[in-house]
Amino acid sequence: GQQVMQIPQYQHVQEGEDFTTYCNSSTTLSNIQWYKQRPGGHPVFLIQLVKSGEVKKQKRLTFQFGEAKKNSSLHITATQTTDVGTYFCAGNGGATNKLIFGTGTLLAVQP
Amino acid sequence: EAQVTQNPRYLITVTGKKLTVTCSQNMNHEYMSWYRQDPGLGLRQIYYSMNVEVTDKGDVPEGYKVSRKEKRNFPLILESPSPNQTSLYFCASSLREKVAEAFFGQGTRLTVV
């Protein structure tokens, strides 16, 4: 079945450093979504990418969707302590019409 | 306020004792789903529903049941809970399955002893 993997599983950075998480799907995706889950909280929608090669920015966050629509990345410039949490990608693809979540990347930011 | 409401937030139960986790959304969303979250495994879909009386299995449906008698409610039923169902559960809803953001409930932390 369709699988969505994320790397790294965990990353610890100093405040001000950059951070990137990568998402890879075993199948072509029709779209990719990104969510953030604060510690003790629930996933909250950040953004959705639909087009091949699409790049979107939200302040310090940059999201990319690969040309083959099988991978995506989230890059955070100059991390802040408010960026702490787990970042999930989620994709629609294949014949099953299901939204499949990645394994998530836990980001820790040291002040 | 648009929201997805889950109850209870925390539950400790014993093996074999039937339980229901309720989920309700006030956004008139067609699509609802249940996920379980376990360390290192991300969010895995248990069941989903594309509309009233339409439900289907997700990736990890064993040991769970759902029903969708009304558009706003999507309860998760554990007929005979076992310790391997100890997990953090999330209900989510969206306007439609594809190309639509999912709104999550606050989560239910279930412990089965």
Side-chain angles (χ1 to χ4, degrees):
Chain A
Q2 181 186 1
Q3 290 185 331
V4 179
M5 302 298 295
Q6 273 183 261
I7 54 171
Q9 189 172 351
Y10 171 77
Q11 183 142 13
H12 178 228
V13 299
Q14 295 279 353
E15 189 172 21
E17 291 181 337
D18 292 355
F19 159 77
T20 304
T21 174
Y22 300 91
C23 177
N24 294 288
S25 170
S26 58
T27 59
T28 301
L29 301 170
S30 58
N31 65 73
I32 191 110
Q33 299 175 356
W34 284 92
Y35 292 79
K36 177 183 178 181
Q37 182 180 23
R38 294 183 187 275
H42 59 280
V44 175
F45 177 82
L46 292 176
I47 205 161
Q48 177 168 266
L49 305 169
V50 180
K51 300 176 184 175
S52 169
E54 189 170 11
V55 178
K56 286 188 176 181
K57 291 190 176 185
Q58 286 182 348
K59 297 183 180 178
R60 295 177 295 104
L61 277 61
T62 302
F63 304 85
Q64 291 188 325
F65 199 9
E67 293 289 342
K69 302 184 79 173
K70 294 182 73 173
N71 59 74
S72 182
S73 65
L74 158 59
H75 179 82
I76 302 178
T77 302
T79 54
Q80 301 175 358
T81 54
T82 53
D83 295 326
V84 164
T86 301
Y87 292 85
F88 291 99
C89 62
N92 277 120
T96 56
N97 239 18
K98 294 188 291 188
L99 185 65
I100 306 295
F101 277 81
T103 44
T105 296
L106 174 60
L107 172 64
V109 180
Q110 185 168 352
Chain B
E1 179 189 356
Q3 60 185 2
V4 179
T5 304
Q6 284 179 238
N7 280 297
R9 292 290 310 279
Y10 302 91
L11 180 60
I12 301 174
T13 190
V14 296
T15 299
K17 186 176 181 181
K18 181 180 178 180
L19 67 91
T20 299
V21 184
T22 63
C23 174
S24 181
Q25 52 94 4
N26 62 1
M27 295 169 279
N28 201 36
H29 284 169
E30 295 169 353
Y31 183 84
M32 297 185 74
S33 57
W34 277 100
Y35 295 88
R36 61 178 288 173
Q37 183 175 16
D38 302 288
L41 298 178
L43 290 155
R44 294 180 294 167
Q45 192 177 54
I46 303 170
Y47 268 95
Y48 64 96
S49 169
M50 299 189 75
N51 215 323
V52 175
E53 302 292 1
V54 180
T55 63
D56 207 348
K57 295 177 180 179
D59 295 315
V60 288
E62 294 76 22
Y64 305 94
K65 285 175 58 177
V66 293
S67 68
R68 188 92 181 271
K69 295 186 171 67
E70 305 164 285
K71 198 171 188 178
R72 64 183 293 125
N73 296 322
F74 190 45
L76 179 69
I77 302 158
L78 284 71
E79 294 271 3
S80 183
S82 62
N84 65 12
Q85 292 178 298
T86 292
S87 186
L88 178 58
Y89 292 87
F90 287 103
C91 177
S93 75
S94 59
L95 192 56
R96 52 195 179 281
E97 161 93 53
K98 286 192 173 183
V99 201
E101 69 176 276
F103 292 81
F104 283 80
Q106 298 295 320
T108 296
R109 185 164 292 281
L110 172 66
T111 302
V112 183
V113 297

